[in-house]
């Protein structure tokens, strides 16, 4: 069959991206929507591009060199991409292909002015926006000029910015092809952009219109400020009319030029109110057709709107599906769990199945719907108090939503009020045996899970797991466990409040909790210092570990002098803590036992930065400081009026905090221990599907939800297109920043501190561990890349328990996410590290290597000259 090199827009729909690229497919789809006018035109297909590329001299060698180049080596990328563009533009278009292109042009009119636009197969997609990556040429006249500009569009696949964008997004240059759209040129009175959702707030009910005189290039290039309209529910709710001094117009012989707008016209609106509302109605029709918010380029000529482009707005955070038209307010789970990265489908579906409250997925993240709790006055106050103690930014974001008239309905308090039936639980005694009993219960439950799962395979495994999830939730909701956690937290809050009131001292509990006993997460960090002690005396082991890349290194280690002891020490560490990893709430993340190389850089840092016996010494120093602080506080209290009474109360609370605060970390350890048992059984099941030819590789199962995985095991079938779509979606979710609070209208709120007690230019956050420290900032986004020296300050997005081994070697901590009682804060206090968390965009605003000062008592970070 002869390949079609040209297709009319009416012959195309949005499914044909592979043939006509993203822009062409969208335009084809647009041209099929009732009531939408699209300028007439055609597409030169990707088949034409491949045909020409096959003729380009040395193209394979050039593409090979380009693929091997480093995107950070701008000079090499610039040189190679320029060579490829020149080679493509200089390659003659074969006669039959040229005839097809010019023949289609004749149908539009031989000397009609056209817009010639690039349309790559990896642009304007729901999962990637390549806006501005390739070229557009306006007002091109005549067949010779059209052919020349089609060649330029093909070459623009290799602009420097397009090449770097693909390399940074792991897109193979050879898999992207270029189509070209040739359209009749519209000579508009006005033009601009319509966003069918507010691109700043994310609100899906607010459309934004940018408008200027003449061609849209004046707005796109930043030549003029546009008029801006905001439209909500068919009504203009805000407008800004700009002074539009310049415009871009078409020249009769081809090309465009800038003109000065008549002074009397400059401050006139480019559109009437009626035209704005009509345009937004058209936009809503386009949005409904494509099923998601759109970024639309439009032109107005003779009072008629022509749509010249529409693409998805890829920067909006998706809204959880609620299944109704009611208003909803969602709070991020990831900000509380210290894991704001996207989760794979198996990960978020299993967290939902084992969680204590219903959760909703959007953008690979989980959210809890708090609308009903916000609606009733008593539950609202309790929710704001609890969330505000953890993360003031979440509270502020929720209060912003509550300030909007009528968004959250007011409901009466449910239930009769007063204490629950049976009265409040009995007060918990300050007794270490309570913690011992809880840990024994958890260990017994995990051991029973390990015994029970050993013989389970196939559908029986999934039935067993559903029962195991109920036991998981029972352990998690154990009233005694919750009482113990709350006892430690409430004692901390009491001490901070009362000692501030009585002694004028901020965050006094931070020192009183140093080296609290029984904290499994801080013990994990210290235990890796003991591992370093085993390795340090043997230089050959250190040299070997410096070159380790393979996760099977433990067997090799045992062949070196001192290696058997080193292997046994690392293995013992993995037996105790190997179920942990960064992002551990996502069961699909590789655990330390699966990827022990992750720990090697931290072990080497410990070998380099510490003396033998550092773990015991650190713990003992902390314990002694806490003891001294206790004596000092009690002595100062006794000197006050009613001093003995105050000192007795404080002593009771200090004992209470030291008894229970360490347990705060244990339930998460128990959850993750169970998760590793589940994961090993599920991976074995995935391997069986691989052997049966159902899955190409075991980790493809991670892109199925738990129920889909169950169905696959039962039916021995998996939809590979579903897995492929999920992989693409997961890749795209990394580009999205999850908000702390999200509404059903799409508003993404991060909250604000609203403080005026910090120096100008300082970065504001939440004080979680007292003290002030100055040092070199090390911005670390992946624990495996950490290269820390003594005295460094760790700056990162979030820290879950797996980061604790790094805490022993640093002087301070700054994170973008966190609260008073999240893991990083608890461990920072135990180790005595000044820490500020919840610092918005800290990893972007602080450069690696800069000197900074962390004010852990007052909650801000200064960047030093």
């Amino acid at each position: 069959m002869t390949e079609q090199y040209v297709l009319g827009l009416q012959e195309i729909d949005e499914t044909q991206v592979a043939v006509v690229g993203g822009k062409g497919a969208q335009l084809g789809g647009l041209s099929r929507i009732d009531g939408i006018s699209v300028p007439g035109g055609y597409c030169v297909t990707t088949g034409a591009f491949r045909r020409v590329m096959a003729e380009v001299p040395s193209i394979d060698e050039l593409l090979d060199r380009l693929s091997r180049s480093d995107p950070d080596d701008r000079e090499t990328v610039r040189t190679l991409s320029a060579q490829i563009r020149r080679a493509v533009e200089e390659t003659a278009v074969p006669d039959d292909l040229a005839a097809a292109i010019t023949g289609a042009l004749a149908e539009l009119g031989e000397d009609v002015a056209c817009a010639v636009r690039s349309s790559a197969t990896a642009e304007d997609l729901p999962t990637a926006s390549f806006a501005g990556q390739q070229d557009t040429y306006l007002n091109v006249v005549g067949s010779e000029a059209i052919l020349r500009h089609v060649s330029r569009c093909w070459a623009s696949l290799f602009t420097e910015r397009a090449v770097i964008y693909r390399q940074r997004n792991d897109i193979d240059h050879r898999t992207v092809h270029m189509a070209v759209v040739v359209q009749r040129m519209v000579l508009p009175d006005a033009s601009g952009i319509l966003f069918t959702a507010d691109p700043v707030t994310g609100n899906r009910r607010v459309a934004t219109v940018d408008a200027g005189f003449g061609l849209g290039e004046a707005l796109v290039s930043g030549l003029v400020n546009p008029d801006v309209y905001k439209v909500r529910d068919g009504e203009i709710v805000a407008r800004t009319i700009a002074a539009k001094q310049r415009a871009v117009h078409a020249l009769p012989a081809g090309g465009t030029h800038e003109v000065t707008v008549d002074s009397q016209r400059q401050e006139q609106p480019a559109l009437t109110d009626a035209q704005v509302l009509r345009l937004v109605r058209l936009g809503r029709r386009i949005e409904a057709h494509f099923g998601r918010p759109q970024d639309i380029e439009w032109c107005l000529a003779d009072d008629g709107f022509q749509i010249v482009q529409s693409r998805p707005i890829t920067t909006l955070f998706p809204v959880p599906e609620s299944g109704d038209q009611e208003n909803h307010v969602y709070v991020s789970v990831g900000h509380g769990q210290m894991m704001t990265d996207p989760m794979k489908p198996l990960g978020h579906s299993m967290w939902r199945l084992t969680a204590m409250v219903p959760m909703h997925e959007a953008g690979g993240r989980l959210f809890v719907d708090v609308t009903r709790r916000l609606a009733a006055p008593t539950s609202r106050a309790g929710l704001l108090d609890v969330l505000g103690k953890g993360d003031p930014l979440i509270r502020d974001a929720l209060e912003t939503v509550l300030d909007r008239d009528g968004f959250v309905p007011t409901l009466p308090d449910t239930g009769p009020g007063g204490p629950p039936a049976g009265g409040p639980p009995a007060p918990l005694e300050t007794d270490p045996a309570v913690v011992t009993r809880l840990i024994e219960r958890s260990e017994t439950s995990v051991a029973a899970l390990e015994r029970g799962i050993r013989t389970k395979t196939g559908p029986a495994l999934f039935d067993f797991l559903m029962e195991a999830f109920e036991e998981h939730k029972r352990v998690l909701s154990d009233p005694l466990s919750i009482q113990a956690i709350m006892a430690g937290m409430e004692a901390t809050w009491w001490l901070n409040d009362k000692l501030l009131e009585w002694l004028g001292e901020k965050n006094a509990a931070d020192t009183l909790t140093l080296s609290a006993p029984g904290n499994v997460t801080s013990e994990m960090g210290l235990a890796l210092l003991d591992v370093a002690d085993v390795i340090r005396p043997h230089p050959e082991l250190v040299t070997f570990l410096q070159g380790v890349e393979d996760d099977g290194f433990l067997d090799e280690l045992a062949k070196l002098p001192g290696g058997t002891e080193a292997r046994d020490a690392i293995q013992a560490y993995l037996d105790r803590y190997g179920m942990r990893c960064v992002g551990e709430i996502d069961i699909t993340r590789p655990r330390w036992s699966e990827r022990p190389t992750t720990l090697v850089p931290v072990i080497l840092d410990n070998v380099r930065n510490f003396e033998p016996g550092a773990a015991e010494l650190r713990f003992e120093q902390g314990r002694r400081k806490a003891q001294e602080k206790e004596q000092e506080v009690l002595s100062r209290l006794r000197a006050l009026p009613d001093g003995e009474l105050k000192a007795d109360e404080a002593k009771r609370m200090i004992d209470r905090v030291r008894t229970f605060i360490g347990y705060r970390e244990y339930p998460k350890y128990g959850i993750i221990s169970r998760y590793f048992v589940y994961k090993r059984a599920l991976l074995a099941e995935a391997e069986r599907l691989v052997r049966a030819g159902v899955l190409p590789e075991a980790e493809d199962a991670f892109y199925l939800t738990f129920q889909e995985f169950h169905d696959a095991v039962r039916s021995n079938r998996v939809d590979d297109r579903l897995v492929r779509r999920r992989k693409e979606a997961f890749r795209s979710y990394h580009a999205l920043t999850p908000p702390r609070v999200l509404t059903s209208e799409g508003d993404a709120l991060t909250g604000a501190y609203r403080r005026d007690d910090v120096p100008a230019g300082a970065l504001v956050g939440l004080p979680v561990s007292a003290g002030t420290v100055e040092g070199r900032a090390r911005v670390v986004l992946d624990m495996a890349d950490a290269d820390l020296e003594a005295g460094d300050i760790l700056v990162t997005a979030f820290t879950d328990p797996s980061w604790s081994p790094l805490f022993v070697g640093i002087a301070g901590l700054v994170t973008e996410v966190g609260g008073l009682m999240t893991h990083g804060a608890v461990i920072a206090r135990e180790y005595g590290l000044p820490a500020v968390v919840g610092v918005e965009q800290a990893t972007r605003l602080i450069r690696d290597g800069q000197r900074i000062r962390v004010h852990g008592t007052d909650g801000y970070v200064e960047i030093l000259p």
Side-chain angles (χ1 to χ4, degrees):
M1 192 175 82
T2 310
E3 178 149 16
Q4 278 189 289
Y5 292 131
V6 170
L7 288 171
L9 288 182
Q10 296 289 342
E11 301 175 75
I12 298 164
D13 65 29
E14 54 269 38
T15 66
Q16 292 169 269
V17 173
V19 179
V20 294
K23 196 173 293 164
Q26 291 283 107
L27 281 168
L30 279 168
S31 65
R32 291 162 176 260
I33 305 172
D34 215 22
I36 301 298
S37 294
V38 175
Y42 59 93
C43 274
V44 182
T45 67
T46 54
F49 170 77
R50 285 194 299 274
R51 169 98 183 269
V52 168
M53 287 296 283
E55 310 262 333
V56 177
S58 308
I59 190 63
D60 285 329
E61 183 203 333
L62 288 168
L63 286 174
D64 285 343
R65 286 168 60 197
L66 191 61
S67 296
R68 289 195 300 269
S69 66
D70 182 340
D72 293 324
D73 182 357
R74 299 296 287 267
E75 192 52 47
T76 299
V77 171
R78 186 177 297 125
T79 304
L80 281 170
S81 54
Q83 270 183 273
I84 295 173
R85 285 198 308 280
R86 192 162 55 249
V88 172
E89 285 186 44
E90 288 172 358
T91 298
V93 180
D95 291 347
D96 60 326
L97 178 49
I101 294 169
T102 54
L105 178 66
E107 291 180 31
L108 293 181
E110 181 62 39
D111 290 322
V112 69
C114 290
V116 181
R117 310 165 95 95
S118 308
S119 178
T121 54
E123 71 175 350
D124 296 351
L125 307 180
T127 56
S129 177
F130 281 63
Q133 297 299 324
Q134 282 91 36
D135 292 346
T136 288
Y137 302 97
L138 300 178
N139 203 36
V140 181
V141 180
S143 55
E144 195 178 312
I146 293 284
L147 283 172
R148 190 166 62 252
H149 284 88
V150 166
S151 283
R152 284 184 183 174
C153 284
W154 288 332
S156 76
L157 190 63
F158 300 100
T159 61
E160 185 184 344
R161 64 183 182 274
V163 164
I164 290 171
Y165 186 94
R166 287 197 294 274
Q167 287 178 318
R168 295 233 158 103
N169 286 275
D170 291 324
I171 297 168
D172 184 344
H173 301 302
R174 294 173 193 273
T175 62
V176 183
H177 301 125
M178 180 67 82
V180 182
V181 177
V182 180
Q183 270 181 297
R184 185 190 295 275
M185 184 77 188
V186 181
L187 304 177
D189 305 312
S191 56
I193 311 289
L194 160 63
F195 295 99
T196 64
D198 189 315
V200 177
T201 68
N203 193 301
R204 296 342 191 235
R205 287 176 66 180
V206 175
T208 303
V209 175
D210 290 7
F213 295 126
L215 292 166
E217 298 309 290
L219 304 189
V220 173
S221 64
L223 186 64
V224 296
N225 290 325
D227 298 340
V228 180
Y229 299 84
K230 290 191 182 295
V231 177
R232 182 184 173 101
D233 300 335
E235 186 183 331
I236 296 172
V237 293
R239 66 161 62 73
T240 305
I241 306 303
K244 300 169 288 297
Q245 296 170 343
R246 313 283 291 165
V248 174
H249 285 277
L251 289 164
T256 61
H257 68 141
E258 285 178 28
V259 297
T260 302
V261 176
D262 186 282
S263 60
Q264 293 177 326
R265 195 168 171 238
Q266 285 176 6
E267 297 195 26
Q268 285 180 3
L271 297 176
T272 66
D273 285 4
Q275 286 170 334
V276 170
L277 295 177
R278 178 156 44 105
L279 175 61
V280 170
R281 285 196 297 275
L282 293 174
R284 292 287 177 223
R285 192 177 292 184
I286 293 167
E287 178 184 65
H289 175 83
F290 289 120
R292 57 193 301 142
Q294 297 287 302
D295 162 358
I296 297 164
E297 290 183 29
W298 55 269
C299 297
L300 177 72
D302 302 325
D303 197 37
F305 285 105
Q306 299 265 324
I307 306 300
V308 294
Q309 193 168 330
S310 183
R311 56 176 164 253
I313 309 176
T314 57
T315 54
L316 297 177
F317 199 87
V319 177
E321 289 181 21
S322 64
D324 60 38
Q325 297 303 306
E326 304 295 316
N327 290 347
H328 293 271
V329 182
Y330 303 97
V331 170
S332 164
V333 172
H335 284 80
Q337 289 293 337
M338 298 296 91
M339 215 299 265
T340 53
D341 288 349
M343 298 168 75
K344 290 178 184 154
L346 186 63
H348 61 67
S349 66
M350 286 190 69
W351 192 258
R352 289 168 76 175
L353 285 166
T354 52
M356 301 311 300
V357 293
M359 292 180 180
H360 305 262
E361 182 272 334
R365 278 77 168 192
L366 291 172
F367 295 85
V368 174
D369 187 343
V370 295
T371 320
R372 290 198 70 79
R373 290 179 69 187
L374 286 175
T378 305
S379 59
R380 177 192 310 150
L383 180 73
L384 291 175
D385 184 51
V386 169
L387 291 177
K389 276 197 170 98
D391 184 340
L393 293 177
I394 290 180
R395 178 177 184 138
D396 182 80
L398 288 173
E399 286 174 338
T400 302
V401 177
L402 288 167
D403 286 342
R404 295 178 184 168
D405 284 346
F407 187 83
V408 177
T410 301
L411 299 174
D413 284 314
T414 51
L428 192 61
E429 283 187 51
T430 303
D431 181 359
V434 171
V435 173
T436 306
R437 190 159 75 247
L438 284 167
I439 290 172
E440 283 172 358
R441 278 189 203 175
S442 176
E443 288 175 343
T444 301
S445 176
V446 173
L449 171 67
E450 287 179 318
R451 280 195 309 274
I453 208 166
R454 274 180 203 145
T455 57
K456 303 296 186 294
T457 61
L461 168 66
F462 289 83
D463 295 338
F464 174 84
L465 284 172
M466 288 307 289
E467 288 177 28
F469 296 163
E470 292 310 307
E471 166 67 3
H472 181 123
K473 288 193 273 193
R474 189 195 64 71
V475 172
L476 210 53
S477 60
D478 181 339
L480 185 64
S481 177
I482 292 166
Q483 269 188 289
I485 292 168
M486 291 310 297
M489 288 164 65
E490 284 164 356
T492 304
W493 296 330
W494 188 96
L495 284 166
N496 278 335
D497 290 347
K498 290 297 183 184
L499 296 182
L500 179 61
E501 180 190 332
W502 293 339
L503 300 176
E505 186 172 339
K506 284 184 185 174
N507 301 333
D510 292 0
T511 311
L512 294 166
T513 55
L514 285 171
S515 298
N519 186 320
V520 69
T521 307
S522 60
E523 287 167 1
M524 177 171 76
L526 296 174
L528 210 56
L529 289 175
D530 291 335
V531 172
D533 285 355
V534 178
I535 291 163
R536 192 180 292 106
H538 304 285
E540 280 184 73
L541 294 183
V542 175
T543 304
F544 171 78
L545 288 173
Q546 284 167 342
V548 157
E549 290 180 0
D550 190 307
D551 284 312
F553 72 91
L554 287 176
D555 291 337
E556 293 299 310
L557 193 66
K559 297 173 184 173
L560 298 169
T564 304
E565 294 83 353
R567 181 198 61 194
D568 292 347
I570 294 172
Q571 192 57 60
Y573 186 88
L574 292 173
D575 291 344
R576 174 86 167 121
Y577 304 110
M579 77 294 287
R580 310 219 82 150
C581 67
V582 173
E584 61 192 10
I585 69 169
D586 182 352
I587 199 169
T588 72
R589 290 284 191 107
R591 311 284 134 176
W592 289 342
S593 283
E594 297 170 317
R595 195 171 291 172
T597 46
T598 308
L599 293 173
V600 170
V602 193
I603 294 170
L604 289 170
D605 281 350
N606 288 349
V607 167
R608 187 173 68 245
N609 295 334
F610 291 93
E611 295 297 317
E616 191 177 340
L617 183 66
R618 285 286 296 269
F619 187 81
E620 188 50 37
Q621 283 173 340
R623 197 187 62 75
R624 201 165 51 248
K625 272 189 196 169
Q627 212 167 26
E628 288 164 3
K629 184 68 178 176
E630 178 181 328
Q631 298 310 318
E632 177 221 318
V633 163
L634 296 178
S635 165
R636 288 166 65 195
L637 286 175
R638 288 191 185 103
L640 299 175
D642 294 327
E644 285 300 330
L645 190 63
K646 288 184 170 96
D648 286 349
E649 278 189 272
K651 171 63 175 160
R652 258 200 326 276
M653 285 300 176
I654 291 168
D655 289 347
R656 199 163 177 77
V657 84
R658 290 197 68 79
T659 299
F660 291 116
I661 201 66
Y663 179 71
R664 163 75 182 80
E665 292 292 300
Y666 195 84
K668 184 77 171 280
Y669 175 80
I671 291 169
I672 301 307
S673 297
R674 298 179 75 87
Y675 257 42
F676 195 33
V677 179
Y678 304 154
K679 182 178 186 180
R680 282 181 296 196
L682 288 169
L683 268 177
E685 210 52 51
E687 295 287 2
R688 270 188 279 279
L689 291 178
V690 172
R691 289 196 295 275
V694 177
L695 286 176
E697 50 189 70
E699 292 194 356
D700 284 352
F702 296 163
Y703 295 93
L704 304 173
T705 64
F706 182 81
Q707 186 55 55
E708 288 164 349
F709 194 174
H710 190 180
D711 294 342
V713 167
R714 267 205 314 262
S715 66
N716 254 8
R717 275 205 314 275
V718 169
D719 181 350
D720 60 344
R721 288 169 306 176
L722 173 69
V723 171
R724 200 161 52 246
R725 281 200 308 275
R726 293 270 176 79
K727 284 181 178 180
E728 285 173 12
F730 178 71
R731 206 163 36 238
S732 75
Y733 294 155
H734 284 278
L736 300 173
T737 302
R740 283 176 167 81
V741 171
L742 184 64
T743 73
S744 48
E745 291 186 351
D747 287 298
L749 298 115
T750 53
Y753 286 106
R754 307 187 195 284
R755 285 171 54 187
D756 54 11
D757 59 342
V758 298
L763 307 180
V764 187
L766 182 65
V768 295
S769 186
T772 301
V773 68
E774 188 177 308
R776 178 179 68 158
R778 295 315 309 260
V779 179
V780 180
L781 299 179
D782 183 339
M783 186 175 145
D785 297 333
D787 180 16
L788 299 165
E789 301 286 349
D792 283 347
I793 296 168
L794 175 63
V795 179
T796 190
F798 57 81
T799 60
D800 58 12
S802 71
W803 286 74
S804 329
L806 293 185
F807 284 23
V808 297
I810 57 174
L813 174 70
V814 179
T815 68
E816 294 179 344
V817 176
L820 275 168
M821 283 297 165
T822 47
H823 304 279
V826 172
I827 306 308
R829 288 194 289 273
E830 286 225 2
Y831 286 168
L833 299 174
V836 180
V837 301
V839 180
E840 279 289 286
Q841 298 193 12
T843 59
R844 292 177 206 165
L845 297 173
I846 299 171
R847 289 198 315 275
D848 186 53
Q850 273 186 319
R851 287 196 70 75
I852 61 173
R853 188 180 296 128
V854 177
H855 295 263
T857 308
D858 295 310
Y860 62 91
V861 179
E862 289 180 283
I863 298 174
L864 303 175

